[in-house]
Amino acid sequence: MLSRVLASIGGLWRSRRIPLAWLLLTRQPMRLAVALAGIAFAGILMFMQLGFRDGLFEASVTVHKLFDTDVVLLSPRTTSSIGMASFPRRRLVQTLADPEVVSISPVNWNLLLWRNPEARTTRSILTLGFEPDDPIFLDPAISSQAKLLQNRGWILFDERSRPEFGPVSAWLKQGRTVETEVSGERIRVAGLVSLGPSFGADGNMITSRETYLRLMPNSPPGNIELGLIRLQPGADPDAAVSRLKRLLPGDVRVLTKAGFEELEKTYWRTSTAIGFIFTLGAGMGFVVGCVIVYQILYSDVSDHLPEYATLMAMGYRLPGLLGVVAREGLLLAVLGYLPAYVAGQGLYALVRSGTRLPVVMDPQRALLVFSMILVMCLGSAGLAMRRLGDADPAEIF
Amino acid sequence: MQTPSPPNNRPPSAAIAVQGLSHWYGRGDAQRQVLQEVELSIAAGEVVLLTGPSGCGKTTLLTLVGALRQVQAGSVQLFGAELLGAGRRERQQLRRRIGMIFQGHNLLRCLTAEQNVQMGADLLPGLGYRARRDQAREWLRAVGLGDHLGKLPHDLSGGQKQRVAIARALAARPELLLADEPTAALDSRSGREVVDLLRRLARDQGCAVLMVTHDPRILDVADRLLRMEDGRLFDQVLEA
């Protein structure tokens, strides 16, 4: 088997031809550089636009991902993390009737006004209220600090909140006691947690339900915005969701954790222009790239028309020469993609440090951009090939 | 020394046999006849020179015989195959058996001398890359350019480029060589060298040669001299 594979590779190697496409490109370094710069530019544009788009959608669920839960309960009126409606807490207690439900945790969730302790300006902050004894987060660092929240008026501040909330973490690390106002009530920052800003909220804080209810005096104590339900190990969340739907009346919505994240992403995708804007941006990059590659390949074919005609006169077939143009397109795609990929990685790192958005190079997007560049280059090559039809071997004498 | 075959007796080994070939350019009122009832036969190994004033149809004859243009009327047989009514694909296949040398060298600018010649050798079926490359080198040595294998056309002189073009044409082992004023761009000495080389190599291969030229200094390499005027072909007496 191996020897046959080797033999066929050897056969291919023996019958190889002069790499005309490669030589056509590399013997004109200036034109190649312009082409690669154009393709790389288009690639970077696509990487950035799609990266921002996916990063923003991903950022909308940074908090959602942190919850230690299998199934969630929401109000049917809840549209997104910035529009959380409340529902009776007893619905969550009812779920304990299901044999697979192991534990439940009520969570309050709202946007409150935070006063910057330094500048004295206010800003919306996402506030979560929960029972401090209840470990609702996957991150053990949060659960270990949760007992501090048993003190009334104490909160944990998200150190990855945007700087507009004030130098809270810097002050705290210097050993200063940080106190400020939330919704007009005095609170004390007891510690720092790491959650990350999301789309709807520039900053987060977590606190006990008791403190939460003090900050939100109009909120009925029996109501919650989110119910976390943990199942037995190995249980199927989808099956549990359909059982709980039958068990509960229609005034609550039951979702898996993934469904909860999807609800949020869908909100930002469909109710805002974000998806459209960034997809359009990526499309612009694609079009710009097409124009550049087409221009380059078309003028390359035009410049070499007498040479192509000579090859046809020598007995080379037109399909073979079309293949040369196609290979030029393929080479341009590969050579142009590499710098775009590297620059994309660098720019993503820059965006992450600058905006704290979770913009990462995931393989799916890397593949998508490569396919777009490939389509761009091969499509342009296909259009440039039409010029090759003008090569008339009878005209070269 | 091969004896040229008499023009009216076509042996089966004739590389080219042309009968009653006429050709027109344009359509309708603008139609203009460029070839009138041309008769021509060239045997394998024969060197035929074609002269005549410009615009008399020499190049048209060359492109018709070279299977580059569709034959309109009359018969052109290449190695026994009829070109009248032959399709694109058939003509392309026949062209593989014809070497062509152009007034301008028409080398590929992005390829070295060796690679240019190998583009000719690459047309040979069933040869490995190495064998084809070695052949290309062999041909370049044969035309006296063994030291310039890796040079781009840009770095070669006019005579050297024309010699590369000859090597490329011969590397495909053609049975017929068509040349259109191969010495036009050369000074008299390198022009002479190129023609002598062409004749010697063609002889060695048993390859027929049809060469269009205006150059009076090279007429003596011909076995036969033809003159074309206003689309008609005449035999010319060789004064050698």
Side-chain angles (χ1 to χ4, degrees):
Chain A
M1 183 59 199
L2 184 68
S3 65
R4 266 173 54 197
V5 171
L6 285 177
S8 65
I9 291 172
L12 283 177
W13 182 247
R14 244 175 59 82
S15 63
R16 73 190 189 275
R17 296 288 165 94
I18 287 172
L20 196 52
W22 170 257
L23 292 170
L24 277 169
L25 290 175
T26 52
R27 293 267 159 84
Q28 305 169 90
M30 267 318 287
R31 178 171 288 175
L32 180 64
V34 171
L36 293 188
I39 296 164
F41 172 76
I44 290 168
L45 205 57
M46 288 191 274
F47 267 128
M48 291 320 290
Q49 301 287 331
L50 295 176
F52 275 130
R53 190 193 65 180
D54 297 350
L56 287 172
F57 290 141
E58 205 52 44
S60 64
V61 293
T62 35
V63 175
H64 301 53
K65 283 181 166 175
L66 296 170
F67 290 116
D68 176 16
T69 186
D70 299 308
V71 174
V72 299
L73 287 194
L74 293 169
S75 160
R77 287 175 292 120
T78 289
T79 55
S80 70
S81 62
I82 57 166
M84 294 292 269
S86 62
F87 62 94
R89 183 183 171 175
R90 62 176 179 279
R91 295 277 174 257
L92 182 63
V93 180
Q94 276 178 286
T95 64
L96 285 169
D98 190 275
E100 283 195 330
V101 171
V102 175
S103 63
I104 54 169
S105 310
V107 178
N108 286 102
W109 176 313
N110 218 326
L111 288 167
L112 303 180
L113 276 185
W114 166 278
R115 188 175 293 282
N116 182 329
E118 188 181 52
R120 296 310 200 185
T121 53
T122 56
R123 200 173 175 87
S124 273
I125 190 165
L126 182 76
T127 309
L128 299 178
F130 67 110
E131 303 294 351
D133 301 332
D134 244 2
I136 65 163
F137 290 111
L138 290 166
D139 185 357
I142 302 173
S143 308
S144 66
Q145 291 190 76
K147 59 179 185 300
L148 295 169
L149 299 179
Q150 281 162 347
N151 298 299
R152 184 182 295 177
W154 287 28
I155 64 117
L156 295 175
F157 181 76
D158 177 10
E159 61 179 347
R160 288 168 65 199
S161 301
R162 288 192 55 86
E164 287 82 352
F165 290 92
V168 177
S169 62
W171 285 4
L172 215 62
K173 278 169 188 161
Q174 286 164 18
R176 285 174 65 169
T177 305
V178 183
E179 290 194 328
T180 186
E181 271 177 16
V182 172
S183 299
E185 293 287 329
R186 176 142 298 270
I187 57 101
R188 175 172 169 182
V189 181
L192 296 171
V193 291
S194 181
L195 301 177
S198 62
F199 214 167
D202 293 337
N204 307 293
M205 57 176 254
I206 57 179
T207 184
S208 67
R209 286 196 72 216
E210 189 191 350
T211 309
Y212 178 89
L213 291 173
R214 245 168 43 106
L215 301 176
M216 290 280 294
N218 294 332
S219 166
N223 276 11
I224 57 173
E225 280 77 32
L226 174 68
L228 305 181
I229 301 166
R230 281 171 289 272
L231 304 175
Q232 280 172 353
D236 176 14
D238 289 313
V241 165
S242 49
R243 274 201 314 277
L244 292 173
K245 272 182 184 164
R246 281 197 300 275
L247 178 76
L248 297 169
D251 59 353
V252 285
R253 173 139 58 158
V254 192
L255 291 170
T256 59
K257 188 182 179 188
F260 181 40
E261 290 173 14
E262 203 44 50
L263 176 80
E264 181 75 12
K265 285 189 194 174
T266 305
Y267 172 79
W268 294 107
R269 230 193 315 266
T270 56
S271 342
T272 65
I274 295 157
F276 177 74
I277 288 167
F278 286 106
T279 309
L280 190 71
M284 298 262 289
F286 180 76
V287 170
V288 167
C290 282
V291 171
I292 294 174
V293 180
Y294 175 68
Q295 280 293 332
I296 294 277
L297 281 178
Y298 184 86
S299 56
D300 190 60
V301 172
S302 299
D303 287 358
H304 293 94
L305 216 49
E307 297 176 25
Y308 283 117
T310 305
L311 289 175
M312 283 162 86
M314 284 168 68
Y316 280 92
R317 295 181 58 202
L318 184 61
L321 300 180
L322 296 177
V324 171
V325 182
R327 279 197 292 280
E328 280 189 80
L330 192 66
L331 282 169
L332 284 177
V334 173
L335 293 178
Y337 177 71
L338 294 176
Y341 181 83
V342 172
Q345 288 274 26
L347 287 168
Y348 281 175
L350 216 61
V351 169
R352 276 198 301 275
S353 70
T355 65
R356 299 176 191 186
L357 281 173
V359 182
V360 291
M361 182 71 79
D362 67 272
Q364 220 180 330
R365 191 180 323 123
L367 201 67
L368 175 70
V369 171
F370 181 66
S371 337
M372 286 177 82
I373 288 185
L374 206 59
V375 168
M376 182 169 97
C377 289
L378 290 182
S380 304
L383 287 175
M385 277 175 198
R386 292 183 312 174
R387 183 83 174 102
L388 207 51
D390 297 342
D392 184 0
E395 295 297 322
I396 52 174
F397 268 115
Chain B
M1 183 70 194
Q2 276 173 289
T3 44
S5 44
N8 288 327
N9 171 23
R10 290 183 196 93
S13 67
I16 307 176
V18 178
Q19 276 181 309
L21 176 66
S22 295
H23 200 81
W24 295 266
Y25 284 137
R27 282 168 191 281
D29 291 343
Q31 197 174 51
R32 192 169 55 85
Q33 187 162 17
V34 281
L35 292 180
Q36 302 184 32
E37 299 288 326
V38 170
E39 307 275 333
L40 170 68
S41 171
I42 301 176
E46 197 181 10
V47 176
V48 175
L49 257 60
L50 178 60
T51 62
S54 59
C56 68
K58 302 187 300 289
T59 302
T60 305
L61 179 62
L62 221 49
T63 54
L64 285 167
V65 167
L68 295 170
R69 222 182 263 286
Q70 191 88 47
V71 175
Q72 292 173 345
S75 156
V76 177
Q77 292 204 339
L78 268 183
F79 324 116
E82 178 58 57
L83 279 181
L84 180 68
R88 217 179 219 287
R89 181 102 172 90
E90 274 171 87
R91 286 190 284 136
Q92 174 256 324
Q93 286 294 337
L94 279 171
R95 287 206 293 271
R96 292 185 167 223
R97 300 164 70 179
I98 307 171
M100 296 186 200
I101 297 164
F102 312 96
Q103 193 168 353
H105 51 82
N106 281 22
L107 295 177
L108 272 65
R109 281 169 289 167
C110 67
L111 300 185
T112 62
E114 181 191 321
Q115 288 166 330
N116 261 296
V117 177
Q118 203 183 327
M119 287 305 289
D122 276 356
L123 288 164
L124 296 171
L127 277 182
Y129 182 83
R130 227 171 251 278
R132 283 180 270 126
R133 193 190 57 193
D134 290 345
Q135 281 200 353
R137 291 187 176 166
E138 209 51 57
W139 277 113
L140 277 171
R141 270 184 218 113
V143 298
L145 291 174
D147 301 333
H148 302 280
L149 297 176
K151 281 195 181 164
L152 291 172
H154 179 73
D155 300 321
L156 294 170
S157 72
Q160 287 171 330
K161 276 188 257 198
Q162 203 54 282
R163 280 190 277 167
V164 175
I166 291 172
R168 176 176 69 178
L170 291 171
R173 297 210 202 115
E175 295 155 66
L176 169 66
L177 202 59
L178 301 175
D180 190 14
E181 304 203 33
T183 60
L186 307 179
D187 61 61
S188 66
R189 220 189 86 214
S190 45
R192 183 78 227 172
E193 277 172 8
V194 162
V195 181
D196 281 341
L197 184 72
L198 201 60
R199 177 187 159 93
R200 182 164 51 79
L201 296 175
R203 278 272 161 80
D204 292 349
Q205 301 260 309
C207 167
V209 177
L210 177 59
M211 190 189 307
V212 167
T213 186
H214 276 129
D215 194 343
R217 298 162 301 191
I218 60 167
L219 298 182
D220 58 304
V221 299
D223 294 324
R224 198 141 56 89
L225 206 56
L226 299 174
R227 182 163 177 80
M228 183 167 256
E229 250 167 68
D230 295 331
R232 291 178 201 279
L233 202 57
F234 305 97
D235 279 330
Q236 204 172 11
V237 185
L238 203 57
E239 309 147 5

